[in-house]
Amino acid sequence: MDKYDVIVIGAGPAGYIAAIRCAQLGLRTACVDNRLGKQGEPVLGGTCLNVGCIPSKALLESSALYEKVRDGAALHGIVAGELSHDVAAMIAGKDRVVQELTGGIETLFRSNGVDWLRGSGQLLPGPQVRVTGHDGAAQTLAAANVILASGSAPMDIEAAPLQGDRIVDSTGALDWTEVPPRLGIIGAGVIGLELGSVWRRLGSAVTLLEAQDVFLSMADRQIGRAALAVFRNQGLDIRLGALVKHTAVDNDMVRVEYEVEEGVQTLEFDRLIVAVGRRPYTHGLAAAEAGLLLDEGGFIHVDDDCCTNLPGVYAIGDAVRGPMLAHKGSKEGVVVAERIAGQQSEVNYDTIASVIYTQPEIAWVGKTEEALKTAGNPCRSGVFPFAASGRARAMQETDGMVKLLSDEDTDEVLGVHIIGTAASELIATAVMAMEFAGSSEDIARTVFAHPTLSEGIHEAALAVDERALHISHKRRR
Ligand code: FAD
Ligand code: NAD
């Protein structure tokens, strides 16, 4: 029987990165994936490249550019004239980006010597892996190590079963070639806000129905409140404490009944997106006799080093505990590959950043002020608004702030929370500072180029000690 050093099941950002790193380390590696692209062809890249991070960011970029030209050009003295959009061309552009990137992984597999096995992989005792190709032909392969990276799928709810192109999940909402006049979204989480922003910018009246009373409950409260105000001001109709009870498609209209404190309300939409979270995708991943342990909720049970309950079997990415983020899965992939090769390697889960790619963007790393209070960890806070940033003013992008939290005793940076233009890029500075256990004083003493948005991080660090230079603090004397 053909024997590999490593077989990876799943070629998303967790699995394909694990496979490449294994191959770099001299391990004979194969990667099995069962995903088919839009033309029915086997594709690499998983959710992230095909129906997640990349296509959503391509559409966010295109729609943001359209809105910027429409609403922002005049502020810069640019006369844009009559403006229109071609949604079908936007979708085609997005598909091109996806194709180029998924093709890029195929090239990387080839150049690194990773065998791409097209089909479904199933873990058998041993460990062995049964690979069933798209044509139904099966083969069994032995491996010294198996890495499970089967990812996740959209959650569904009984109140809103998917229906054609009317009630869709995030995947369906990436392919409409016409702008729905009235768009409803269940869930004002990351996907709801990103896809809601895309379609609002292109002309939809967007309503988000969110079950929780608190907006963006995972974010710092101050940032969450600021975000809610900005998004409502942009025209997103965000209804909190709204639990969807029933949906029906009638004459191409979607009727949605939802419950709020005042009672049951009804709304009609042309399309509805269900964006209520994702669940681990582990169906059929392991034969019963393999004895793979799953947690409650179907996540593969792993320890801090991504080891499952079976010797030589690891699991990474969305299929295991922790945030469902591409970079978290990729880091786990690198770490597991390096541990298999006998190296010391670990994931620092405290410095995994979260980003929401709206405009303004929202990004954070570390603890929120509320979490620190709950944990009884006294902290100091410095806040710097982008309205006081020269670069943000020049860009006419003054919404938002940087908030930096540091430990009251040691001054170590414990969290950085940003809402503002390019927050997704700015957060890397904070991640580096925290990775090196930096203090607010370390950042305060660093010289940042002028004029840049990153000066906002410098000023927030100065503000911790009430010495930011471009905002007023109370006089000390
Ligand atoms: P996946 O990417 O889901 O890949 C798993 C792969 O394994 C899939 O191709 C699947 O078909 C295959 N597979 C499963 N079971 C088997 C089997 N038995 N045999 C063979 N193959 C199998 N994250 C970010 O960090 N940033 C973002 O901007 C971002 N945007 C997103 C936008 C949207 C609309 C969505 C839906 C998600 C987004 N995410 C984002 C989340 C991100 O896509 C996931 O966290 C990431 O893809 C998880 O990677 P993974 O490798 O664990 O799994
Ligand atoms: P989410 O957890 O971010 O948001 C889901 C929201 O739906 C929650 O606020 C929840 O309270 C609400 N909800 C659940 N059931 C409901 C109901 N019956 N009625 C009304 N509201 C309800 O999940 P998501 O937006 O689906 O995204 C899934 C995951 O994908 C995220 O957790 C994230 O990890 C990943 N993702 C990341 C990015 C990014 O990094 N920029 C982008 C998209 C997706």
Side-chain angles (χ1 to χ4, degrees), residues 400-435:
M401 70 188 94
V402 179
K403 175 174 180 177
L404 189 146
L405 302 166
S406 75
D407 188 279
E408 197 170 273
D409 297 328
T410 65
D411 192 34
E412 183 172 343
V413 179
L414 301 175
V416 177
H417 306 267
I418 306 175
I419 174 167
T421 284
S424 59
E425 301 293 341
L426 294 176
I427 201 66
T429 305
V431 171
M432 292 285 280
M434 288 181 64
E435 194 60 41

Side-chain angles (χ1 to χ4, degrees), residues 186-187 189-191 194 209-212 275 277-278 324-325 355 357:
I186 310 181
V190 193
I191 292 181
E194 290 187 354
L209 301 170
E210 167 57 51
Q212 294 189 64
R278 294 178 65 81
M324 287 183 163
L325 296 172
V355 179
Y357 295 81

Side-chain angles (χ1 to χ4, degrees), residues 43-396:
V43 285
L44 296 168
T47 303
C48 171
L49 269 77
N50 291 283
V51 292
C53 321
I54 298 300
S56 61
K57 263 79 265 178
L59 291 182
L60 278 157
E61 206 63 44
S62 303
S63 59
L65 184 57
Y66 169 72
E67 183 171 59
K68 180 112 187 161
V69 176
R70 189 189 61 198
D71 301 343
L75 290 171
H76 293 272
I78 298 167
V79 183
E82 187 89 5
L83 198 69
S84 63
H85 54 56
D86 178 346
V87 181
M90 250 181 222
I91 299 291
K94 176 263 298 178
D95 288 343
R96 261 195 317 278
V97 171
V98 168
Q99 223 175 10
E100 284 160 12
L101 288 173
T102 54
I105 298 176
E106 188 176 353
T107 308
L108 287 171
F109 270 14
R110 219 176 297 123
S111 61
N112 281 286
V114 175
D115 288 343
W116 173 16
L117 308 176
R118 297 152 175 85
S120 283
Q122 186 179 49
L123 180 72
L124 304 176
Q128 292 185 358
V129 174
R130 182 190 297 126
V131 180
T132 308
H134 295 292
D135 59 1
Q139 56 173 325
T140 300
L141 301 164
N145 302 277
V146 174
I147 304 176
L148 304 172
S150 55
S152 63
M155 247 186 232
D156 41 27
I157 50 173
E158 234 174 80
L162 303 190
Q163 213 165 316
D165 63 356
R166 297 289 134 177
I167 306 182
V168 301
D169 57 19
S170 56
T171 302
L174 292 169
D175 276 332
W176 292 326
T177 49
E178 282 173 18
V179 178
R182 294 167 306 169
L183 172 61
I185 302 180
I186 310 181
V190 193
I191 292 181
L193 290 169
E194 290 187 354
L195 293 182
S197 294
V198 166
W199 293 105
R200 179 197 60 72
R201 291 166 187 168
L202 298 177
S204 294
V206 177
T207 305
L208 293 116
L209 301 170
E210 167 57 51
Q212 294 189 64
D213 295 321
V214 175
F215 181 64
L216 286 181
S217 58
M218 63 289 201
D220 188 272
R221 281 302 71 242
Q222 193 175 354
I223 302 290
R225 278 194 300 274
L228 182 60
V230 176
F231 295 148
R232 281 187 168 153
N233 197 37
Q234 290 175 350
L236 287 179
D237 180 354
I238 301 170
R239 304 191 185 189
L240 301 175
L243 185 66
V244 173
K245 299 300 249 186
H246 182 71
T247 54
V249 178
D250 192 10
N251 271 337
D252 276 355
M253 286 312 163
V254 187
R255 249 167 58 90
V256 177
E257 280 175 25
Y258 66 97
E259 199 171 74
V260 278
E261 224 174 60
E262 302 77 47
V264 175
Q265 317 264 326
T266 306
L267 281 173
E268 274 194 354
F269 301 109
D270 299 285
R271 310 267 171 138
L272 181 71
I273 305 173
V274 183
V276 295
R278 294 178 65 81
R279 59 174 173 80
Y281 183 62
T282 48
H283 180 73
L285 177 64
E289 59 272 25
L292 181 71
L293 190 62
L294 301 183
D295 284 342
E296 248 175 76
F299 291 94
I300 302 166
H301 176 84
V302 286
D303 65 11
D304 290 349
D305 297 324
C306 297
C307 299
T308 68
N309 64 313
L310 304 172
V313 180
Y314 304 81
I316 57 176
D318 280 12
V320 305
R321 50 60 194 135
M324 287 183 163
L325 296 172
H327 43 290
K328 174 261 192 188
S330 295
K331 179 65 186 176
E332 288 176 335
V334 167
V335 164
V336 165
E338 290 176 351
R339 293 179 78 89
I340 288 173
Q343 297 183 3
Q344 288 287 333
S345 196
E346 60 184 34
V347 182
N348 180 2
Y349 289 98
D350 292 338
T351 55
I352 303 287
S354 295
V355 179
I356 306 176
Y357 295 81
T358 42
Q359 179 55 33
E361 294 181 336
I362 301 168
W364 69 90
V365 57
K367 302 270 192 305
T368 64
E369 191 168 349
E370 295 71 35
L372 289 169
K373 274 205 183 108
T374 308
N377 187 344
C379 68
R380 296 191 301 161
S381 161
V383 175
F384 183 77
F386 281 113
S389 151
R391 183 64 185 278
R393 288 223 164 244
M395 295 169 77
Q396 313 269 5

